[in-house]
Amino acid sequence: MTLALRVPEQLSARVPAEQRGPGLDRDAVRLLVSRGTEVTQHAFRELPGLLRAGDVLVVNTSPTLAAAVDGAVGDARVVVHFSTCGDDGRWAVELREPDGRGTTRARAGTYAGEEVRLPCRLRLLLQEPVSAGSGRLWWARVSGGAAGAAAASGRAVPGLLREYGRPIRYSYTERDQPLSVYQTVFAVPSPDGAGSAEMPSAGRPFTARTVLELVRRGVQFAPVTLHTGVASAEAHEPPYPERFAVPEATARSVNAARAGGGRVVAVGTTAVRAVESAAGADGVVRARAGWTELVVTPERGVRVVDGLLTGLHEPQASHLLMLEAVAGAAAVRRAYEEALRGRYLWHEFGDVHLLLPEEGPHTEHCSSN
């Protein structure tokens, strides 16, 4: 769906919540709650009172990578956004150009055979577009330097990112931030250095305090992993194939919650994509790992997820189709109208939106008071 709304530039969250004033923490964001077309406004710290014992929060444990690296094509400076490592050792990358303000803009004219010089005498050779319909992401192979065969297999890139990378940053943010700002409380380092090119940002407002309070109230956490690639900041394309894993313990927790009347609430669109990729047509989740090409739309619907905690997306973003699949078009439209009216903040450092099922007249609900 596309919303006929315009988000004013001043509603972009330019810095993380904890940098907006003394004594603030990550959880100092607002929480818009939708139950059908009924919308209420809360502080994020009220989340434990909005969920119930027996509910399951599906969380993405993928760590965020310092995925932006400076390079050069001829005499021109470029910034390489490393998105995803393929099974053959090639990386899906996006080439962007500096915009003179510390961030980047889309770069035109990328072509097969183009070579980018990287630090450590490494070279990046662009080979073919990831998608025939888009020239934004390219499969590319790293070579050269002292890494030799490791570079050709893609194993040199995690080291390159650790040494020379920085978090991907877009123009609506105020300044560069350390990588720690982009890690969620759920992030678990991968032995092979894999991770997400961009933060699974719906999990960012959680603190250890919030997690402990949720557990105390009987809410369970079910970890999944989905390494998200570089988002389409300008074109709002559907997601590309991404690596994911749903462990056996998570499958059991989700299935048990559904059988016992608990709600399955995904923390972020990445968590939806992962757990729905592991769900059969019968609604049973089974342990799975590999690549997912699933795009959750209203036509496909959701088989497992009852609710979704997510950030606020641009009115043209393809993610809105997933929100519509979870809650319906009317609920999404009503919530976004209220978010604009209430001057909620957008993007990865912004406020969050909880979509829950409509409550029947006899449904008990845990008050936040």
Side-chain angles (χ1 to χ4, degrees), residues 101-293:
R101 297 175 293 179
T103 52
T104 62
R105 58 181 168 237
R107 176 180 182 268
T110 303
Y111 60 91
E114 191 167 22
E115 187 174 272
V116 182
R117 299 193 306 279
L118 297 172
C120 296
R121 302 191 304 279
L122 292 171
R123 297 186 302 276
L124 182 74
L125 181 65
L126 273 62
Q127 296 184 332
E128 60 182 334
V130 170
S131 170
S134 171
R136 184 176 68 89
L137 286 180
W138 287 73
W139 286 115
R141 192 171 292 281
V142 174
S143 63
S153 69
R155 295 197 305 273
V157 173
L160 175 73
L161 301 186
R162 285 193 298 271
E163 185 72 21
Y164 295 97
R166 61 184 179 276
I168 289 174
R169 174 190 161 208
Y170 292 114
S171 59
Y172 50 78
T173 55
E174 188 173 285
R175 56 182 175 269
D176 284 345
Q177 299 283 351
L179 184 59
S180 59
V181 166
Y182 291 88
Q183 302 294 5
T184 74
V185 71
F186 307 113
V188 177
S190 300
D192 61 356
S196 289
E198 297 183 4
M199 172 177 56
S201 55
R204 190 182 191 279
F206 285 85
T207 61
R209 175 181 55 219
T210 310
V211 171
L212 287 171
E213 179 60 18
L214 285 161
V215 171
R216 189 185 72 80
R217 289 175 177 247
V219 176
Q220 301 176 58
F221 286 85
V224 298
T225 301
L226 186 137
H227 298 313
T228 184
V230 175
S232 158
E234 291 85 14
H236 301 298
E237 301 157 342
Y240 287 83
E242 293 167 320
R243 290 183 183 273
F244 83 106
V246 175
E248 179 63 41
T250 288
R252 287 198 302 269
S253 294
V254 170
N255 293 333
R258 288 173 56 79
R263 298 173 299 184
V264 177
V265 179
V267 177
T269 58
T270 60
V272 175
R273 195 181 201 198
V275 74
E276 289 287 331
S277 295
D282 56 1
V284 175
V285 177
R286 298 170 177 86
R288 281 194 60 193
W291 291 87
T292 178
E293 299 184 2

Side-chain angles (χ1 to χ4, degrees), residues 85-97:
C85 185
D87 292 335
D88 59 0
R90 297 188 300 173
W91 278 78
V93 302
E94 180 182 14
L95 263 60
R96 294 177 69 88
E97 58 186 19

Side-chain angles (χ1 to χ4, degrees), residues 334 336-344:
R334 172 76 179 86
Y336 273 66
E337 291 169 352
E338 191 64 30
L340 283 174
R341 188 176 300 112
R343 301 190 67 76
Y344 278 64

